[in-house]
Every structure is written in C-alpha cells, then in structure tokens.
Amino acid sequence: MIPDWIRPRAERFRFLPAEQAARGSLPWIVALMVALAVLGMAAGISLVSGVGVMKDGLAQRFTVQIVEPNPDIRADKVAATVAALEGRDGISRIRVLETAELRELLEPWLGSGNVGEDLPLPAMIDAEAESPALLNHVAASLERDVDGARVDDHAGWLAPVARLAWVLAIVALAAALLLTAAMAAIIVLGVRAGLTRHAETVDVLHLIGAEDRVITQLFQYRFGMVAALGAVTGFLVALLLIFAIGRLITALGSGLVAAAGLPWWGWVMVVMVPVVAVMLSTITARITVERSLADVL
Amino acid sequence: MRPLARFENVGLRYGTDAEVLRDISFRLDAGTFMFLVGASGAGKTSLLKLLYLNRRPTRGRVTLFGEDIGSIERKKLPALRRRIGVVFQDFRLVDHLSCFDNVALPLRIEGVVESEVQAHVGELLEWVGLTKRAHARPHTLSGGEQQRLAIARAVIARPDLLLADEPTGNVDPQMAQRLLHLFQELNRLGTTVVVATHAVHLLPQVPTAMVLRLDRGEMRDPTGSLRHPPGSQRQAAIHEAGRAAE
Ligand SMILES: Nc1ncnc2c1ncn2[C@@H]1O[C@H](COP(=O)(O)OP(=O)(O)OP(=O)(O)O)[C@@H](O)[C@H]1O
Ligand SMILES: [Mg+2]
C-alpha cells in the first residue's frame, strides 16, 4: 500500500514490531492540535486582514460635522465648507447628507418616530481626500476657518478595532505555537515509550551491527506517518469548520465582517500548519532517538 | 602474527560493584580456537561482553581489530560488530520475527540483496535442522532448537570472530558434537572462535584449542593457561578443569 521507496528497510523487514501508536490516540491528538492551530491561525489572519482591507477603503474618507442650532447660519456654513472643499485640489466625492438621511442614521438610537422635525441636527458633509496628509491639512484649516466644524476621519474610528484584531491575531499565533510545542512533547514521550518497549530488540540490533540510523529511520518513519494521518484529518475538519463559519458570516451581510476572509497568503500559512506538524514530528522523533541512543555503547 | 584481540591488565566492574574481572591479560591471534572455561559466575560472559563491544573495560586496555575499545568512537562500532558473530547465553532471539527472519537479520542489516539472503538462510537452516520451523516464532521452539537458531544467526554473515557463550548447554551430546564441528569448520575457514563453556569434556575434541581459565574474575595460571602445546599443559589444564567441574 505504501511504496517501498518511502518505507525504510528497517520497516519493510520489521526490525521492530509494528507499533500500537498508529492505532492508538496519537493521531487523534495530532489531529486535534492541527485543527485548533488551523482555526486559530485562520481566525487571526482573517481578522487582521479584514481590518486592513476596511482601513484601506476608509483611509481617505472623512466627514465634516457642523454643529449650529440656527438652520440659516448652518446652511451658510455648509455652503462655505463645500466651497472651501471644492476649491482644493485632491478633494473629491463631496456630498452633503440630506436631513432625511441623518434622521435615518439616528433612528436606530432614538427609536422610529422619536426624531422630531424640530430636533436640531448637525450638518454632515462626506468627502474623500487624495492622501492622509491632505486630509490632515484640510481638517486643520476647516476647523480653524469654520466655527463649529469638526472633521472625523473614518480610519481613526477603526484604530481601536485594528488594535484588538492584532492582539487577537497574536494570541491565536501564540496558541498555535504552544500547540506545536505540546505536540512535539507528546511525540518525544511516544518515541521514548517506544524505545523502552523495544529496548531489548534495539540492543540486539545494535550488537548485530545495526547503525543508529536504522533505528532512527524507523521511528522517524512511523511517527511521521502517524503525524501525517492526524494532520490530514485535523486539517480537513478545520477546513470544513472554516467554510461553515464563512457561510454564517456571509449570511450576516454586515459591512464590517464582509471584509473578513482569508487572503491568499493566509491560505498559504494555514496549509503550512499540517505540513509543519508532520515535519516537526519527524524531526522530533529523529532527535529523540539520536539522543537516547547516544547514551548506550 | 597480528593479534585480533589483546587484553592488557583489564578490569571490569558493573556500576560501583567490585570488579568481576581483574588483571586479565592475553592475546587472541587471528585463526585461533579458544575455550573460555570457569565456574558459574567466574566472569566468562563478562569477558565476552568486552569482546562483543557491549562494555568498555573499566581498567586496562582492550584492543580489538586494532582499535582501542576503551576510547573508540561510537560511530565506528557497527562496522566492528558486523565482523563479530555472537551466540548469546540467553540467545536473544527477536521474538516478533520468524526463525527465518532472525537468521536473516545480520544480512539484512548489512544490506545484502534479498535473493542472496533467501539462499543463504535457507541453506543454514537446513544445516541446523530447522527448515521445518523456518516460519515459526522463536518462543515456540525447544531450548535446543533456539540454541541452534542462535548459532545460525551468529554465523550467517561469516564473521571474522565468533563468540559462543555456552553454545551446547541445551542440546544432546550428538548435537553438541555437530555444533562443535561446525565451529571447527568455520575456524578452519579462518574464523577466530571463542567458546565459553562449563562442558570441559568438549575440550579434548579440539586438540589445537587454547584454553583460558577464569576463577572468580581472575585468570587461573596465567602463563600456563594461554597457549597449550598438544599433550602437555593443555591436557593438564583440562584435567584440572575436569576435576574442578566434579
Ligand atoms: N549486568 C550486571 N550487573 C551487575 N553484576 C553483574 C552483571 N552481569 C554479571 N554480573 C556479575 O558478574 C559476575 C560474573 O558474571 P558472568 O555472567 O560474567 O559469569 P559467567 O562466568 O558467565 O557465569 P555463568 O557460567 O553462570 O554464565 C557475577 O558475579 C555476576 O553476578
Ligand atoms: Mg555466562
């Protein structure tokens, strides 16, 4: 079933008896760890990249808010502001929000019907600057020239969200690393137990003239196989969960989470998880055997 | 002649116990047939362990195939061990393998091609009378059959040095004779043979053999016990050993 060029001689000729580990709990433990690591990484990466995507889209957008109770003066100020904005190069998509739109925005907070005609509302003007530097410059001059004007850049609102996303991503990455370390520790224990169980046979193999390599390759192969079985299982389970969660998020249809999703480099990293798990198991098994055998003559 | 092995004031202790071998000095020339005799607990197996590279001497110097065993690097050991065939006192057969695979083990470890392995192992199993049990597991064999299997595994790769620890302990006198003849045959073909045994009545069968007698970890009669010209000290030593056994 497994071709001979993968199976070392020592395995083909069963220098050590077939190991229980392959049928025991080890593959499941590896599967669980790979699944958790994949989910954690996918969540972390999509959060960070989602916030990044939103930030890019919002970076140059800003809103000028004019607080002025007198509707006539307010109208003048709005006109002045629009004129000032239009007079500048690099400012585009200037739009004064209608009173009806503002009412709509407020309704969720105040309750429908509660936003009366007489409720004084600030005026809002949306616009887009060519660069963050221009945005800052325009904001400063507007706030100085127009009394009661306040400029909000949309990216600023996202700063705390971005910070949170990064913290969560780092936590997810740290968890993945810890899971990896735990998996390596379990492999070490498994290999040591295997060596102890077969100590007599290993001894005879040595005395007959087997190099350490023979035993190393055997353990490397067996634990690599166990890890591969577990890693593939864990990865497939995690993939299913990621797609299921993705569909739920899409169903929400919210703008904030619409940006969430794994970018291509995220997929690469996620696919690396099982690959790294198998490589790490193999290397761990190898080093463990080498170290244990170095103590015997 | 270049010595295959040389012991110079060798001492061996296990852990912090008292020395089980003291002041052992002798040389083993290539092509020699040597008997290692002595009472139970005298240190025969311990001396063999030094020869099959299972222990480093705790004192003195052991030289084997020109290498100082006290300081040899680990990575050089496999190559040396492949030149040595061992019949362990407790056989050390590998129980998850069939008799055939046990005998094939040294060849497969060396990487001999499978067609050759099949031919050689089949032939040798035939010789030790285990062809019918080729696919049986070692623990299902009788004591004597296990012993023959252990011998087959020790000689399959045509070692330069054959070490046999009590190789006739479990077989009837005829089989003991046959096995001893096998060792002699190998010896004639150039293999250096060391046989540790209580069975001093076997000694006269190999008149050219050298006899090393151990008594509680020390060489008995160190000068006389080494090389015995036929009919002189050797006979005396055998006589003495025989008396000691009684
Ligand atoms: N691994 C060990 N640890 C501690 N002491 C040991 C060990 N192996 C042997 N000994 C001790 O070393 C001494 C010599 O043992 P050894 O096995 O070499 O004797 P022997 O001549 O082969 O005996 P026998 O004829 O019964 O096989 C004994 O006193 C034994 O108890
Ligand atoms: Mg013994």
Side-chain angles (χ1 to χ4, degrees), chain A residues 9 13-18 200-201 203-212 214 293-297, chain B residues 52-56 74 77-78 81-82 84 88 92 94 96-97 101 105-109 111-112 114 153:
Chain A
R9 281 179 70 83
F13 295 127
R14 296 197 308 130
F15 286 179
L16 293 183
E200 272 201 32
T201 309
D203 212 30
V204 172
L205 290 174
H206 264 136
L207 290 175
I208 288 176
E211 281 121 351
D212 290 355
V214 169
L293 294 185
D295 294 340
V296 298
L297 183 66
Chain B
Y52 63 75
L53 305 172
N54 193 28
R55 294 268 168 182
R56 294 187 200 266
R74 243 179 74 74
L77 293 173
R81 283 172 173 153
R82 287 178 189 183
I84 306 171
F88 300 97
R92 303 238 196 156
V94 177
H96 70 275
L97 295 178
D101 288 340
L105 205 51
L107 297 179
R108 285 174 174 162
I109 281 174
V112 173
E114 215 32 40
R153 188 180 68 184

Side-chain angles (χ1 to χ4, degrees), chain A residues 245-264:
Chain A
I245 292 169
R247 297 198 72 162
L248 287 178
I249 287 177
T250 318
L252 279 179
S254 154
L256 186 105
V257 282
L262 273 181
W264 68 267

